[in-house]
Amino acid sequence: MSAGEPRGSQTANSSWHLGQSREVSFWTRYIRSHGGEHWRRLNESVELSWTFRPYTDLPPVPPKRSAQRPPLRFLVVGSGPGSDVGYKSWTDAATSLVLTDPLAKKYEPIFQTIGKHPPVRILPVRGEDLESHFGSSTFDFAYSVNAIDHTTNPSHVLRNMVRVVAPCRWAVVEVWENEATLQKGNGMHRWNIRAEEGINGASGMSTFVQQFGEPGGGLNVTEALLSTEASEFVTQRWQGCYLNGECAIPSRWRIRMSVGGKCGAAPLAVRAHVRCNSCVQCRAKWNSQSKWKPGDGDAWFNCEFGR
């Protein structure tokens, strides 16, 4: 086992292969019950969520008049059978969206059954193989939601995400807290991810990865990445919605890891991510800045305000 690798990776690899059929069965049922060919995640007219804009050095909302920015390359890791971040580029920045999921080929029967494919082809690439497939410094932003804890080695996937983004760019991962314990280690749910405050005298929260059922405290991935690939590692623990607008079970705790790649001598541009205490407060803040309008809903705003 190499340094910085959590214990139990070989066991997780075996469980991952056994859990594939269960994962595909879940998506088959889910898509059928959520509109089939009309499922939102297959709709090319859905705009990329605005909550990702601060991570790409763009203002929170597109200005009415602005020069077109250079094209952005946006990577989604573990996308599932369709994009959960949207497809359509923002008006001030053309975006090339790249979707990856190791089960991409296994989703094909689902698409054939409903008679529709995602507007962007999903590449069958594992998170553990991102750097070897794409090369380093390829993307302007990388995002993953509810997927990294389904992999055979979450810490390695996170390292790969940081390596494939350009210097001074962000990789962001969001997951349910301790999902493996909740799912009792079934299927692909083999890893717990949690946040702890003030580890080893450090300020702020640290993220830990631990295989389900393994003794000990797990691997401190915040510490591991800051000693190698990352110049910034921000851990947030909250109840509410993900950046992509998914708000299911808002009472459950979620973890967000925002990891900034090395930036040389220059400091990484850090955006203030201000989390509201409630959707009501969020709507008020959004509305006060003339950004929110009736009908957008809580999911659009995510119960988050980034600036």
Side-chain angles (χ1 to χ4, degrees):
M1 184 171 65
S2 62
E5 180 180 338
R7 297 176 59 184
S9 294
Q10 291 183 344
T11 304
N13 187 59
S14 175
S15 299
W16 185 83
H17 286 285
L18 292 173
Q20 290 185 35
S21 59
R22 180 176 295 188
E23 187 77 4
V24 174
S25 296
F26 163 80
W27 281 118
T28 301
R29 296 191 303 271
Y30 187 90
I31 294 173
R32 286 174 178 169
S33 65
H34 285 74
E37 63 180 296
H38 303 293
W39 185 36
R40 178 180 173 85
R41 287 173 60 172
L42 300 178
N43 186 347
E44 63 183 350
S45 67
V46 176
E47 189 177 31
L48 292 169
S49 178
W50 288 3
T51 51
F52 299 116
R53 291 175 58 86
Y55 287 102
T56 59
D57 292 331
L58 291 169
V61 295
K64 292 182 178 179
R65 291 188 180 88
S66 67
Q68 187 78 10
R69 300 289 186 97
L72 298 172
R73 293 205 74 195
F74 189 149
L75 173 68
V76 178
V77 178
S79 67
S83 171
D84 54 3
V85 300
Y87 291 99
K88 186 179 177 182
S89 295
W90 300 305
T91 56
D92 58 340
T95 303
S96 175
L97 183 66
V98 177
L99 306 179
T100 64
D101 194 294
L103 303 184
K105 293 181 180 179
K106 294 183 180 293
Y107 299 141
E108 185 61 28
I110 304 176
F111 303 142
Q112 292 180 357
T113 299
I114 64 175
K116 188 171 184 178
H117 285 73
V120 173
R121 185 171 71 93
I122 304 169
L123 302 179
V125 179
R126 299 193 320 150
E128 293 87 345
D129 301 326
L130 292 172
E131 186 182 26
S132 61
H133 185 89
F134 294 110
S136 59
S137 304
T138 301
F139 296 94
D140 298 289
F141 180 65
Y143 178 69
S144 179
V145 60
N146 283 343
I148 194 172
D149 54 330
H150 298 177
T151 64
T152 61
N153 191 331
S155 61
H156 187 48
V157 175
L158 188 53
R159 287 182 188 276
N160 268 265
M161 290 179 66
V162 177
R163 288 170 178 170
V164 299
V165 296
C168 309
R169 294 295 188 174
W170 292 93
V172 177
V173 171
E174 297 184 302
V175 294
W176 297 112
E177 184 178 54
N178 292 328
E179 175 75 355
T181 295
L182 185 69
Q183 300 294 338
K184 299 179 180 179
N186 290 320
M188 290 184 163
H189 303 101
R190 296 299 305 172
W191 296 97
N192 281 319
I193 297 178
R194 71 182 191 279
E196 292 189 14
E197 189 85 37
I199 300 299
N200 295 331
S203 60
M205 286 187 165
S206 296
T207 299
F208 286 80
V209 172
Q210 185 172 12
Q211 189 179 14
F212 176 73
E214 283 287 332
L219 174 69
N220 184 337
V221 291
T222 301
E223 191 174 77
L225 265 73
L226 284 174
S227 67
T228 53
E229 284 83 7
S231 61
E232 183 83 11
F233 195 125
V234 180
T235 298
Q236 293 166 287
R237 180 178 184 265
W238 84 103
Q239 295 167 299
C241 307
Y242 290 126
L243 289 171
N244 68 356
E246 191 276 298
C247 296
I249 322 177
S251 60
R252 281 188 57 189
W253 288 99
R254 306 170 193 239
I255 304 294
R256 177 183 303 133
M257 295 161 271
S258 300
V259 188
K262 289 292 187 181
C263 220
L268 181 65
V270 178
R271 303 295 183 184
H273 301 287
V274 181
R275 184 171 65 82
C276 300
N277 295 322
S278 69
C279 289
V280 173
Q281 179 185 351
C282 284
R283 282 200 300 268
K285 190 167 188 176
W286 192 249
N287 195 39
S288 69
Q289 304 221 1
S290 301
K291 306 290 193 308
W292 185 87
K293 59 182 183 295
D296 282 344
D298 297 335
W300 180 260
F301 187 67
N302 285 314
C303 298
E304 294 277 333
F305 182 80
R307 59 187 171 101

